[in-house]
Amino acid sequence: MGSAEGNTGAVQLPVIDVSRSTSEVGKGMLDAAIKYGFLYIDTNGSGFSESIVDRQFEISRQFFALPEAEKNNVKINEADRGYAGLHVESLDPKSQRKGDFKEAFNIGESKDGRPQQPMPRLLEAHLAELGEFENACQALSKRVLDLLALGLEVTEPTFFSSRHTQPSGCTVRLLHYPTIPSDVNYQPDVDIRAGAHSDYGSITLLFQRPSQPGLEIRTPEDTWAPVPVIPDGYTTSKTFPPILVNIGDCLSYWTNGLLKSTVHRVIFPKDVRQGGEDRYSIAYFVHPGDKTELVAVPSQIVSEHVLDENSSVGYGGGATSKRAMTAREHLMNRLEATYGFRQNAKEVAATA
């Protein structure tokens, strides 16, 4: 793997072929998860076809093109389900003068073929396609989790995947990052598309479009480095980018901080005043079942990596090593630590 060069050199992450469940593949995935917390999945053998992903992006574009009033009919609730408009979220409030330059729609788990939340008419007409995409995400997530367990030499091969049951915090998130309006006084040092943050769950699957870069990660050298949508030397497809996977706070906490939950952000292209285009991405956030207790992973590799009991995992804290907690408690702690305005987070946790 390569390294970041100052603040501009792109980080070189490995591309993992998950079609083979071997120790070698597991170790390669583990090495990337420990060093960077990020890696690519080759689309070959991923379970996704280009048409499934293209269709999901087209549905996303149609949704975000709806009138604002129609999108606000399904406004995001305390359980993080629904629509969040431009500047509603502020992932890094200490560094941002206003909220994120993005809008999003969060879709929770499906039950009996439909999400358990209000859905706009447009998405109601595409429940079958949304369900197919969600099912493919679940299958790939299980494969990644089992490979990580293999790399960690966990005594129970399905230790992680078997604990990812329903109900949980798993979410499909449609994301739209518009270009900057001409009347906005843009300040590149503080106006970014998504503020610095780490994800809350076990892993995240990120789907991107070839011509829409912007993701950066915080490297081990403590610099920002861009992550290419299509890495150098990737020959599988120039129109279907590899799927980006990153480790979340929950899996980092679960492994005593051995697996790295890396801080990342989304910025505007450097030539933003010379054109550019809107950025669309789709994230699948993977969480264990709500009642899963985050007990020590039965792995000697993990047990040899001791996390100080006063330290925290995740950007903004919210998870310490003092005791085991359930996946639901972990998620609520992370939401409270990151979003100061979430006054009802404890009530949601109590009633879920």
Side-chain angles (χ1 to χ4, degrees), residues 2-283:
S3 61
E5 301 171 6
N7 292 321
T8 58
V11 66
Q12 300 299 315
L13 304 172
V15 181
I16 306 293
D17 179 356
V18 299
S19 63
R20 299 176 299 113
S21 295
T22 66
S23 296
E24 181 183 4
V25 175
K27 288 298 184 184
M29 185 173 288
L30 179 63
D31 288 345
I34 291 173
K35 183 172 184 179
Y36 283 114
F38 273 79
L39 56 97
Y40 297 102
I41 297 295
D42 195 329
T43 54
N44 278 344
S46 69
F48 285 90
S49 67
E50 187 167 4
S51 61
I52 289 176
V53 175
D54 285 348
R55 186 175 61 200
Q56 191 80 354
F57 273 105
E58 180 56 32
I59 293 170
S60 175
R61 289 189 188 92
Q62 291 178 20
F63 170 75
F64 289 119
L66 291 173
E68 201 70 19
E70 189 169 346
K71 289 183 287 189
N72 278 321
N73 284 335
V74 287
K75 189 176 294 186
I76 197 165
N77 57 29
E78 290 84 358
D80 264 7
R81 301 289 182 255
Y83 172 69
L86 202 64
H87 306 309
V88 166
E89 291 186 338
S90 185
L91 289 173
D92 189 12
K94 293 181 180 180
S95 302
Q96 295 172 260
R97 62 172 181 160
K98 60 172 65 176
D100 294 350
F101 276 84
K102 74 172 189 295
E103 55 180 342
F105 187 74
N106 292 356
I107 307 172
E109 291 175 319
S110 295
K111 182 179 180 181
D112 298 326
R114 64 169 296 111
Q116 303 300 290
Q117 66 189 80
M119 297 285 282
R121 284 180 297 175
L122 171 68
L123 298 187
E124 286 278 359
H126 293 286
L127 290 183
E129 295 97 321
L130 294 172
E132 182 182 15
F133 182 83
E134 181 187 17
N135 290 339
C137 286
Q138 290 172 346
L140 178 57
S141 300
K142 180 183 185 303
R143 200 175 310 172
V144 170
L145 290 167
D146 286 345
L147 281 167
L148 284 170
L150 186 62
L152 286 167
E153 301 175 4
V154 179
T155 55
E156 182 184 341
T158 61
F159 179 89
F160 293 127
S161 63
S162 65
R163 287 161 174 77
H164 284 71
T165 56
Q166 291 185 325
S168 76
C170 287
T171 303
V172 173
R173 175 166 245 210
L174 310 179
L175 287 152
H176 173 221
Y177 303 87
T179 53
I180 301 176
S182 58
D183 59 347
V184 169
N185 181 21
Y186 168 61
Q187 297 182 22
D189 292 337
V190 292
D191 291 329
I192 59 177
R193 284 174 155 171
H197 66 285
S198 59
D199 292 347
Y200 311 143
S202 300
I203 60 173
T204 301
L205 309 181
L206 183 66
F207 301 81
Q208 303 177 91
R209 299 286 78 186
S211 60
Q212 298 169 10
L215 180 68
E216 293 187 331
I217 67 172
R218 203 69 183 169
T219 70
E221 294 77 28
D222 202 28
T223 61
W224 286 111
V227 180
V229 175
I230 299 178
D232 291 344
Y234 185 70
T235 58
T236 300
S237 174
K238 293 300 182 183
T239 59
F240 184 16
I243 301 162
L244 197 62
V245 175
N246 67 279
I247 304 300
D249 297 342
C250 182
L251 197 56
S252 184
Y253 170 78
W254 216 342
T255 57
N256 287 336
L258 176 65
L259 303 190
K260 188 176 182 181
S261 181
T262 300
V263 176
H264 51 285
R265 66 183 185 180
V266 180
I267 65 167
F268 285 100
K270 301 301 183 184
D271 61 346
V272 67
R273 285 306 183 194
Q274 283 72 49
E277 62 180 288
D278 290 12
R279 172 182 163 93
Y280 291 87
S281 64
I282 301 171

